[in-house]
């Protein structure tokens, strides 16, 4: 569950299901097929021990959910966060199915998570937790079956430990079992920046289609982590002015714009964007309501709710995070003419370059940074334009349009494959 500003609890799985049901109304589907697409295919819960530095043993709980494997092996990140629940992982897995389908990737959707606070663990504890969790879920993961990647609280180093653990069990190196690895062990150049850069590319294309310009646009970013900080830097390079940014410890605002690179350095030095010299302090949530043209929520689910949607001042919301806007908030924003570019399009850059990484690993043939960027640009621009066209043709919002295309693609594959046996 995600605690919203109002304190109301919003179950991400309920959100994901409601979004699905709304879009599914626009697709002629037999009842059984609709239910098949709504249910997760399989869910694994693991409880496992980890030796802590002080000699004690602690039990951790983790999950791996496959929502769909219709279009191919399942793909999705692994989250380390104290608030991870099975419902959250299930929702994130479903969103991965739609995200991969919209981008035209040969993947189904999955997600994983461990209930833990990675910031409170030593490097050794984090490594032992990761290796044990990887072993526990090794019945599901593999280069042909299910390929994890980083998400909140995990990074390239965590992926390297998963790749090494899986490889030790096989007796040979299997780089294609995870993506988002360091380049030194088979990662792709450009993967670490891909989600944030993709978010900026999608924002630019969506604004263009809406008849707006990114040059001079005022942008607020909630969540200055992997996605938010890279998106801010890329949007800044494209001519936007970053007026506000926040992380879990606080936020900052500057009317004339913040320098994203200096902000990254400040966060690296102090652990937070709060206290950035020369900027006005904001609470973590106020960043959602500052006067701006574009708001990029890039933290967690359930941030824009019916409680605060009326105070969102942006004209365009570009969802860097997964599930930041509740369905009720979606309706309120739409009624006020705010354009919402949905997560399944806006943050697809990560899984797109993960796909490139997997293809490179399987072929043992690696691409240049220019090739990665060019293909990323082309694929995302195509997705945004396609979703925009569907939205215009059917008279629906961009989220519904995106999910309609995704559901159509997966449903077509179900029909073509048939129901086994
Ligand atoms: P991250 O851990 O690197 O960053 C998350 C940031 O959000 C941190 O700076 C944290 O302090 C901040 N945060 C947490 N709660 C906050 C709050 N209430 N207000 C303001 N800031 C808050 O994680 P990330 O990889 O950047 O992921 C962020 C979002 O993007 C998640 O929803 C994730 O699922 C999604 N996403 C990530 C990727 C990827 O490749 N990493 C891909 C697609 C989608």
């Amino acid at each position: 569950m995600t605690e919203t500003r109002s304190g109301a609890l919003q179950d991400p799985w309920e959100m994901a299901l409601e979004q699905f049901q709304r879009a599914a109304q626009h697709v002629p589907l037999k009842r059984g097929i609709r239910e098949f697409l709504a249910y997760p295919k399989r869910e694994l819960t693991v409880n496992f021990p980890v030796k802590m530095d002080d000699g004690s043993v602690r039990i951790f709980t983790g999950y791996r959910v496959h929502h769909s494997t219709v279009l191919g092996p399942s793909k999705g990140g692994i989250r380390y966060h104290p608030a991870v629940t099975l419902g959250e992982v299930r929702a994130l897995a479903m969103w991965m199915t739609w995200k991969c389908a919209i981008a035209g990737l040969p993947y189904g959707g999955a997600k994983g998570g461990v209930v833990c606070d990675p910031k409170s663990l030593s490097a050794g504890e984090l490594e032992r937790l990761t290796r044990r969790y990887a072993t526990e879920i090794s019945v599901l993961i593999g280069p042909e079956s299910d390929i994890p990647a980083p998400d909140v609280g995990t990074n390239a180093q965590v992926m390297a430990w998963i790749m090494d653990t899986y490889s030790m069990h096989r007796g040979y190196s299997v780089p294609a079992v995870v993506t988002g690895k360091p380049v030194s062990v088979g990662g792709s150049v450009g993967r670490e920046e891909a989600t944030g850069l993709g978010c900026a590319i999608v924002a630019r294309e969506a604004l263009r289609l809406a008849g707006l310009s990114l040059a001079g646009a005022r942008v607020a970013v909630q969540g200055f982590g992997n996605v938010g900080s890279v998106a801010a830097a890329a949007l800044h390079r494209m001519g936007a002015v970053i007026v506000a940014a926040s992380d879990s410890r606080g936020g900052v605002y500057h009317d004339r714009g913040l320098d994203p690179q200096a902000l990254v350095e400040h966060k690296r030095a102090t652990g937070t964007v709060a206290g950035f010299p020369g900027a006005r302090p904001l609470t973590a949530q106020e960043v959602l309501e500052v006067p701006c043209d574009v708001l990029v929520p890039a933290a967690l689910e359930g941030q824009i709710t019916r409680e605060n949607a009326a105070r969102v001042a942006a004209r365009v919301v570009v969802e860097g995070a997964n599930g930041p806007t509740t369905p009720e908030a979606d309706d309120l924003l739409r009624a006020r003419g705010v354009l919402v570019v949905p997560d399944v399009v806006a943050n697809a850059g990560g899984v797109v370059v993960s796909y490139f990484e997997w293809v490179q690993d399987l072929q043992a043939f690696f691409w240049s940074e220019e090739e990665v960027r060019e293909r990323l640009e082309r694929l995302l621009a195509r997705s945004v334009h396609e979703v925009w066209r569907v939205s215009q043709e059917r008279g629906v919002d961009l989220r519904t349009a995106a999910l309609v295309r995704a559901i159509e693609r997966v449903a077509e594959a179900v029909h073509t494959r048939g129901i086994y046996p």
Side-chain angles (χ1 to χ4, degrees):
M1 300 255 202
T2 303
E3 190 156 1
T4 62
R5 182 196 169 122
S6 64
L9 289 175
Q10 176 78 39
D11 180 4
W13 173 238
E14 276 173 23
M15 262 177 66
L17 257 189
E18 187 170 340
Q19 292 169 347
F20 167 74
Q21 301 295 4
R22 284 178 178 206
Q25 287 170 14
H26 298 270
V27 185
L29 288 174
K30 287 200 184 116
R31 192 182 140 83
I33 302 297
R34 185 193 287 217
E35 281 186 22
F36 177 46
L37 299 184
Y39 278 97
K41 179 183 172 75
R42 52 171 83 97
E43 303 180 340
L44 177 67
T45 299
V46 293
N47 298 298
F48 57 92
V50 177
K51 267 190 218 147
M52 309 305 283
D53 289 346
D54 65 4
S56 66
V57 172
R58 255 180 75 189
I59 305 297
F60 289 87
T61 298
Y63 307 100
R64 185 77 187 163
V65 174
H66 293 178
H67 172 258
S68 169
T69 57
V70 169
L71 291 178
S74 53
K75 185 96 192 72
I78 290 176
R79 179 171 293 192
Y80 287 177
H81 192 276
V84 163
T85 62
L86 179 56
E88 180 186 56
V89 176
R90 198 184 273 157
L92 290 161
M94 181 191 248
W95 288 325
M96 284 306 297
T97 301
W98 312 140
K99 199 182 297 180
C100 293
I102 295 158
L105 307 181
Y107 289 138
K111 205 81 183 191
V114 177
V115 188
C116 68
D117 177 8
K119 286 185 202 147
S120 72
L121 299 173
S122 71
E125 288 168 341
L126 198 62
E127 178 174 353
R128 292 193 291 280
L129 178 146
T130 299
R131 288 185 181 279
R132 181 66 191 239
Y133 170 66
T135 304
E136 297 286 342
I137 64 165
S138 65
V139 290
L140 294 183
I141 64 173
E144 281 140 9
S145 56
D146 177 25
I147 305 118
D151 191 71
V152 175
T154 58
N155 56 22
Q157 176 61 70
V158 171
M159 295 307 115
W161 287 326
I162 296 177
M163 175 269 194
D164 185 70
T165 302
Y166 187 88
S167 299
M168 288 300 114
H169 294 172
R170 288 287 174 285
Y172 50 90
S173 287
V174 189
V177 66
V178 288
T179 58
K181 302 176 292 294
V183 172
S184 60
V185 295
S188 175
V189 288
R191 170 61 186 90
E192 206 143 5
E193 311 83 69
T195 311
L197 174 63
C199 197
I201 294 169
V202 169
R204 187 194 63 206
E205 292 301 311
L207 259 66
R208 195 176 282 162
L209 285 163
L212 302 167
S213 167
L214 194 54
R218 299 164 68 76
V219 178
V221 180
Q222 184 209 32
F224 209 68
N226 176 315
V227 178
S229 65
V230 176
L235 287 164
H236 178 74
R237 283 198 303 277
M238 291 174 184
V241 182
I242 311 302
V243 291
S246 70
D247 57 34
S248 56
R249 297 210 228 154
V252 284
Y253 177 84
H254 201 302
D255 196 39
R256 289 200 306 279
L258 302 156
D259 173 0
Q261 196 46 46
L263 205 52
V264 166
E265 276 150 30
H266 176 78
K267 184 168 165 98
R268 197 173 293 140
T270 65
T272 173
V273 294
F276 184 64
R280 178 159 72 75
L282 290 179
T283 66
Q285 290 285 337
E286 272 169 355
V287 75
L288 298 171
E289 301 167 16
V290 295
C292 63
D293 301 304
V294 180
L295 172 63
V296 181
L300 292 168
E301 307 91 66
Q303 298 299 304
I304 306 175
T305 66
R306 72 180 160 168
E307 310 296 333
N308 63 3
R311 292 192 298 276
V312 168
R315 298 169 73 184
V316 181
V317 175
V318 180
E319 296 185 332
N322 286 308
T325 313
T326 66
E328 280 174 321
D330 254 342
D331 292 341
L332 293 167
L333 292 174
R334 191 168 50 256
R336 290 178 44 226
V338 178
L339 181 70
V340 177
V341 185
D343 46 10
V344 287
V345 178
N347 68 35
V351 73
V352 167
V353 177
S354 271
Y355 166 63
F356 296 162
E357 179 176 334
W358 180 72
V359 167
Q360 292 171 75
D361 286 338
L362 292 177
Q363 300 184 338
F365 181 71
F366 290 87
W367 310 351
S368 70
E369 190 152 358
E370 294 74 58
E371 280 172 287
V372 169
R373 284 199 178 206
E374 248 172 54
R375 287 176 198 256
L376 174 68
E377 280 260 1
R378 225 179 308 137
L379 202 151
L380 288 180
R382 191 186 69 199
S383 279
V384 180
H385 285 255
E386 185 185 359
V387 169
W388 189 273
R389 181 180 52 74
V390 174
S391 142
Q392 300 283 308
E393 280 171 10
R394 310 230 184 173
V396 294
D397 59 277
L398 291 179
R399 188 186 315 280
T400 305
L403 296 190
V404 162
R405 276 309 285 132
I407 293 166
E408 283 174 350
R409 281 207 176 121
V410 182
E412 189 192 336
V414 171
H415 280 294
T416 310
R417 287 177 65 155
I419 301 295
Y420 176 85

